[in-house]
Amino acid sequence: MKNPLDDLHQLIHSMTKSEKRLFKLSSSLQKGEKNYLKLFNAIAQQEKYDEQAICTTFKNENFIKHLAEGKKRLYQLIAKNLESFHYSTDTELKRFIHQAEIFYHKRLYKPCANILAKAKHIAYQQEKYLQLIEIIEWEQELEAAAHADLQKSKNDKKDIMKEKEVVLEKFVNEQKYKGIRYTLLKHHRLNDIARSEQEVKAYQKIINNDLCSREDKALSFNAKYDFYYIHSVFSYATGDLTGNYRYQKKLTDLFNKHPEQCLEQPKKYISSLANYSYICYLVKKHGECWTLIKKIREFPTRSIQIQILIFRTSYERELGLYLRTGEYHKGIQLIEAIEKGMQ
């Protein structure tokens, strides 16, 4: 049975150097005694969690008498700090919706409406349809409670209902494409490349769906992403490298048309560039492959996870390109840069 006391140890050891540095920096700005920071440092130094060693180290400290409570508080502080470090549109929208809820219950209807309007603008911009549904539902609640204050007309009420139907349609559309993508990826991971007509038919059965027939069936950025992704995996799995190249290019073009999504979904964007560059060197479009490798490395990000992804995928593609072109000496010359980057 898993020891629940290991959770804090696992959380601390999952943190990157930047995350630990930010946690200690934010802690240093707080007033008062910081026994939780002593506990943090002690657990961070343990390869395996040893509570007895912790108790021995701090046997003369008062806080050790309430270790379970201290560990719980430390866990919550780290989680909250990580949330601010990994800030995203989703967390921002959750914060706005929570603020709107507070204003609503305080009968501060106009500030509530302003917050909801701001949240709605961001949600539409980033195509966050699940959050949009919640925002619209709060607008409906607000209209019912503050009709006189906000002077909503009957047409406004109809517009809200119609707007909600459109948003729901797009959300459901996205979920259907996501379901097909997950099913296809699961099949591909279990069966890899189709090597017989029967195996090709198994892949065809998965994408034999009206939604996969035309790209205009996809109603949003994420739905279009899944449409192109589904066809790229299908074409690769069935040996159609030309088709794979075509759909990988469409994926990259989709991000180019929606630059805000490159920043909102950097992992998908970098992975799309990496997959596109991979098919480029398979079909001997080496110049295009080089352009994509440079584009991967030029992507601006402060995220440690994305920096690691950029480092790994760009060097994988560069080494793969040298292997394909027989320029082995150039690959050997990368060893020093790769070793330095891994430190």
Side-chain angles (χ1 to χ4, degrees), residues 213-228:
S213 61
R214 298 200 320 265
E215 60 187 79
D216 61 359
K217 297 278 187 179
L219 304 179
S220 64
F221 172 88
N222 285 317
K224 282 185 169 59
Y225 171 90
D226 282 341
F227 177 89
Y228 297 141

Side-chain angles (χ1 to χ4, degrees), residues 23-244:
F23 177 71
K24 291 180 179 181
L25 178 61
S26 61
S27 297
S28 68
L29 299 175
Q30 305 299 319
K31 294 180 180 179
E33 200 169 7
K34 306 178 185 69
N35 290 321
Y36 66 85
L37 202 53
K38 296 177 185 178
L39 188 58
F40 176 88
N41 290 328
I43 294 176
Q45 291 173 9
Q46 292 185 333
E47 288 188 16
K48 291 184 178 180
Y49 181 69
D50 186 345
E51 186 156 305
Q52 186 59 49
I54 297 290
C55 292
T56 302
T57 302
F58 299 109
K59 62 182 178 181
N60 296 323
E61 301 276 358
N62 287 329
F63 77 86
I64 204 67
K65 297 175 183 177
H66 310 284
L67 182 58
E69 185 180 333
K71 286 166 75 356
K72 183 179 179 181
R73 179 169 179 250
L74 177 56
Y75 193 98
Q76 292 170 343
L77 286 170
I78 294 172
K80 186 176 181 181
N81 197 265
L82 287 173
E83 184 180 331
S84 63
F85 185 84
H86 296 279
Y87 196 70
S88 67
T89 300
D90 288 331
T91 56
E92 184 178 28
L93 289 173
K94 286 177 184 177
R95 181 170 61 85
F96 281 145
I97 293 170
H98 189 219
Q99 287 176 358
E101 182 181 1
I102 293 169
F103 289 156
Y104 173 85
H105 289 302
K106 288 182 174 291
R107 301 176 67 86
L108 298 172
Y109 297 135
K110 288 186 179 179
C112 179
N114 292 336
I115 287 289
L116 289 173
K118 188 174 183 179
K120 181 186 275 190
H121 174 75
I122 295 170
Y124 267 118
Q125 190 177 47
Q126 299 295 342
E127 296 191 13
K128 301 290 184 179
Y129 296 116
L130 184 60
Q131 290 90 334
L132 265 171
I133 293 168
E134 189 174 1
I135 292 166
I136 293 169
E137 286 178 346
W138 271 111
E139 286 184 328
Q140 290 175 310
E141 290 289 333
L142 185 62
E143 182 189 41
H147 180 76
D149 289 358
L150 300 176
Q151 297 179 339
K152 292 281 185 179
S153 67
K154 289 183 179 180
N155 287 334
D156 291 329
K157 188 181 293 186
K158 289 179 181 178
D159 288 343
I160 290 177
M161 291 301 297
K162 186 176 180 180
E163 181 183 19
K164 187 176 179 180
E165 288 174 6
V166 172
V167 171
L168 275 168
E169 182 186 12
K170 290 184 177 181
F171 175 72
V172 171
N173 183 257
E174 280 188 352
Q175 296 308 303
K176 287 180 178 179
Y177 276 106
K178 188 180 290 186
I180 297 170
R181 176 164 62 90
Y182 285 163
T183 302
L184 181 63
L185 279 175
K186 184 178 179 181
H187 183 83
H188 181 51
R189 285 166 183 161
L190 290 173
N191 299 279
D192 200 23
I193 305 299
R195 292 179 173 82
S196 68
E197 186 178 344
Q198 185 178 355
E199 290 178 353
V200 170
K201 286 181 179 179
Y203 274 105
Q204 288 173 336
K205 185 178 179 180
I206 295 171
I207 70 164
N208 185 23
N209 188 302
D210 187 51
L211 290 172
C212 298
S213 61
R214 298 200 320 265
E215 60 187 79
D216 61 359
K217 297 278 187 179
L219 304 179
S220 64
F221 172 88
N222 285 317
K224 282 185 169 59
Y225 171 90
D226 282 341
F227 177 89
Y228 297 141
Y229 192 91
I230 287 164
H231 282 280
S232 70
V233 173
F234 173 79
S235 56
Y236 180 79
T238 55
D240 180 11
L241 296 186
T242 302
N244 183 265

